[in-house]
């Protein structure tokens, strides 16, 4: 089964590792680094904030998270291979309990090679410090990556806002539904808050006290009394959706800004695209380093650990009886007993012949 790990192509390994790693770090890159830095009013401030966040991350958690992803991917693939072979009737269930026991044991014992963590940290730092997008293809790929992330976030933000304001007109008409009093308050607050965003398309994420007061008074004049807490809740969801749509539009405009950053339409001058380029490069180099570590080192170390455990297991008769079971084992045991009886009969017959000859 371990030998079958080498049947996966380098591309398959790196695609798996890259996807698994991105799943682990997406929230950090998007929510804690990109979205927080994107509030900056200048490209220099944006770059400084991003650089500090990335350095702290690579010095601390990123290499360890990457190793955990590599370890989990290795054992997941090994488990998949075992499950595939278990469906083979030639193999049957004879060795499945044994294999499951071995896998469980080596999972508990196997630790990633310690010096690999330091090498990985250096590789990741070099990738994340590289801010030079060298060609248009890399630039466009980074923008596509960024756009896909933003579209996914826009879908999530739209769903969250829709849940807050209740069913749309179509949903109410087709499903005979109506909005609750709380949802009606949220709709009124949303309509009023949108006026602020229309008046200032670069409005920050926080509402000023006088803006909050004005919104509430305007709602009261419309006959709707909405508490401040509800206004703030609706504002957060509405602003988040507006910001994401604005970021997506800026990313699309940045496609034309590879050669001339000065025509960028956002305050950070398309350096948000550079951030996603840096993240993409880090994912690529990390997945490559993890694949090489798995194929050149970890798989061999794992094979040795399995052999060592099997040697220990070979001396434990009770465990062997527990782990190697099934109809074929029972049949083999029965055949062994029959052969033993046959051997004794043959010996007895030979003795009788000798006595008769005498």
């Amino acid at each position: 089964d371990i030998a079958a790990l080498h049947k996966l192509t380098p591309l398959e390994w790196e695609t798996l590792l890259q996807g698994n790693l991105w799943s682990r770090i997406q929230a950090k890159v998007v929510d804690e680094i990109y979205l927080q830095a994107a509030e900056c009013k200048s490209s220099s401030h944006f770059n400084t904030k991003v650089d500090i966040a990335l350095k702290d991350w690579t010095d601390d958690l990123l290499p360890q998270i990457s190793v955990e992803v590599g370890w989990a991917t290795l054992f997941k693939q090994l488990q998949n291979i075992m499950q595939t072979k278990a469906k083979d009737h030639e193999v049957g269930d004879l060795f499945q309990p044994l294999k499951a026991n071995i896998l469980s044991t080596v999972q508990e014992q196997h630790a990633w090679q310690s010096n690999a963590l330091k090498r990985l940290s250096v590789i990741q730092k070099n990738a994340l410090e590289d801010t030079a997008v060298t060609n248009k293809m890399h630039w466009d790929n980074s923008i596509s990556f960024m756009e896909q992330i933003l579209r996914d976030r826009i879908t999530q933000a739209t769903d969250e806002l829709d849940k807050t304001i209740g069913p749309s007109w179509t949903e109410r008409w087709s499903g005979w539904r109506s909005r609750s009093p709380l949802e009606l308050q949220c709709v009124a607050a949303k309509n009023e808050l949108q006026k602020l965003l229309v008046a200032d398309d670069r409005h920050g994420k926080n509402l000023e006290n006088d803006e909050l007061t004005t919104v509430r008074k305007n709602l009261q004049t419309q006959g709707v009394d909405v508490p401040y807490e509800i206004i703030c809740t609706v504002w957060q969801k509405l602003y988040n959706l507006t910001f994401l749509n604005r970021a997506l539009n800026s990313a699309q405009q940045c496609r034309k800004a590879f050669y001339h950053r000065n025509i960028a339409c956002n305050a950070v001058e398309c350096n948000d695209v550079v951030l996603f380029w840096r993240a993409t490069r880090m994912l690529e180099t990390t997945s490559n380093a993890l694949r090489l570590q798995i194929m050149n080192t970890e798989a061999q170390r794992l094979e040795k650990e399995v052999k060592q455990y099997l040697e220990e297991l070979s001396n434990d008769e009770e465990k062997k009886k527990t782990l190697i079971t099934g109809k074929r084992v029972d049949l083999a045991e029965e055949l062994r007993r029959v052969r033993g009886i046959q051997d004794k009969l043959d010996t007895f017959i030979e003795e009788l012949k000798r006595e008769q000859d005498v």
Side-chain angles (χ1 to χ4, degrees):
D1 292 343
I2 294 175
L5 290 171
H6 292 274
K7 292 182 180 179
L8 269 74
T9 66
L11 178 61
E12 288 173 330
W13 270 114
E14 292 188 19
T15 301
L16 281 170
L17 289 163
Q18 195 167 327
N20 292 341
L21 180 57
W22 178 244
S23 296
R24 283 287 302 274
I25 67 173
Q26 181 177 1
K28 175 70 178 182
V29 174
V30 178
D31 297 328
E32 298 182 32
I33 297 178
Y34 166 60
L35 291 180
Q36 290 191 19
E39 293 291 335
C40 298
K41 302 299 183 183
S42 69
S43 60
S44 60
H45 190 192
F46 175 88
N47 289 335
T48 300
K49 197 165 186 176
V50 165
D51 288 343
I52 292 171
L54 289 176
K55 185 178 184 307
D56 290 344
W57 191 35
T58 50
D59 287 343
D60 186 18
L61 292 176
L62 180 58
Q64 184 59 44
I65 291 172
S66 303
V67 165
E68 290 171 5
V69 167
W71 186 95
T73 303
L74 169 61
F75 279 99
K76 179 63 177 175
Q77 289 312 300
L78 188 56
Q79 190 176 38
N80 289 344
I81 292 168
M82 288 175 57
Q83 289 173 349
T84 301
K85 288 192 174 183
K87 297 174 184 177
D88 184 353
H89 294 296
E90 293 298 320
V91 177
D93 295 330
L94 180 59
F95 296 110
Q96 287 313 114
L98 175 62
K99 287 184 175 183
N101 177 265
I102 293 171
L103 181 63
S104 175
T105 302
V106 295
Q107 271 186 299
E108 293 176 1
Q109 296 177 350
H110 186 78
W112 206 263
Q113 196 175 43
S114 58
N115 59 358
L117 191 66
K118 295 178 183 178
R119 292 198 301 269
L120 191 60
S121 177
V122 172
I123 290 169
Q124 290 174 330
K125 283 181 181 178
N126 290 338
L128 288 171
E129 287 173 1
D130 183 8
T131 59
V133 187
T134 54
N135 60 60
K136 186 69 162 59
M137 183 182 72
H138 290 159
W139 181 262
D140 288 343
N141 289 342
S142 300
I143 291 175
S144 297
F145 181 49
M146 181 179 175
E147 286 175 341
Q148 184 57 54
I149 293 167
L150 290 172
R151 287 193 181 98
D152 291 342
R153 292 305 178 97
I154 287 170
T155 300
Q156 295 174 10
T158 302
D159 290 342
E160 289 179 9
L161 184 59
D162 288 346
K163 287 178 183 177
T164 302
I165 63 175
S168 64
W169 181 88
T170 304
E171 291 171 329
R172 295 197 306 274
W173 182 83
S174 61
W176 292 91
R177 299 168 61 194
S178 60
R179 286 181 169 133
S180 68
L182 176 60
E183 289 170 344
L184 290 171
Q185 288 182 329
C186 291
V187 170
K190 170 182 170 286
N191 293 336
E192 193 64 30
L193 289 167
Q194 277 183 322
K195 297 175 183 178
L196 291 178
L197 293 171
V198 170
D200 181 6
D201 62 354
R202 295 295 172 184
H203 197 294
K205 66 186 298 184
N206 297 316
L207 277 176
E208 300 292 338
N209 288 334
D210 57 339
E211 290 176 322
L212 190 57
T213 302
T214 300
V215 168
R216 191 178 187 198
K217 286 183 177 179
N218 289 344
L219 289 169
Q220 287 173 337
T221 59
Q222 300 169 23
V224 185
D225 189 13
V226 183
Y228 287 121
E229 294 79 8
I230 292 177
I231 295 174
C232 291
T233 298
V234 174
W235 168 257
Q236 289 170 0
K237 297 179 187 298
L238 179 62
Y239 175 81
N240 185 39
L241 179 58
T242 303
F243 176 84
L244 291 170
N245 278 308
R246 193 165 64 210
L248 178 61
N249 181 63
S250 296
Q252 292 166 343
Q253 293 297 320
C254 282
R255 286 190 181 276
K256 300 178 291 186
F258 175 68
Y259 297 106
H260 305 286
R261 300 288 177 84
N262 60 326
I263 67 170
C265 63
N266 59 3
V268 298
E269 298 177 0
C270 294
N271 280 293
D272 46 358
V273 177
V274 178
L275 167 61
F276 282 94
W277 151 253
R278 295 161 78 178
T280 303
R281 285 286 299 142
M282 184 275 295
L283 286 169
E284 291 172 352
T285 55
T286 300
S287 61
N288 177 261
L290 290 174
R291 175 185 64 81
L292 291 172
Q293 180 70 19
I294 289 172
M295 292 294 94
N296 297 340
T297 305
E298 300 305 325
Q300 295 175 7
R301 293 176 65 233
L302 192 60
E303 188 173 1
K304 289 179 181 178
E305 290 167 5
V306 169
K307 289 179 179 178
Q308 183 179 352
Y309 181 64
L310 283 172
E311 288 176 6
E312 296 172 2
L313 200 60
S314 65
N315 298 320
D316 192 332
E317 294 297 328
E318 289 300 319
K319 264 196 174 182
K320 283 194 287 186
K321 289 178 182 178
T322 304
L323 296 173
I324 305 177
T325 59
K327 290 182 179 180
R328 282 187 290 172
V329 176
D330 295 337
L331 181 58
E333 287 293 321
E334 186 64 30
L335 287 172
R336 186 173 65 83
R337 284 193 293 269
V338 169
R339 287 196 188 101
I341 294 170
Q342 186 66 48
D343 290 341
K344 289 178 181 179
L345 283 172
D346 291 342
T347 303
F348 180 68
I349 291 169
E350 288 294 327
E351 289 295 328
L352 283 176
K353 285 181 179 181
R354 285 198 196 95
E355 289 179 4
Q356 288 174 357
D357 290 342
V358 173

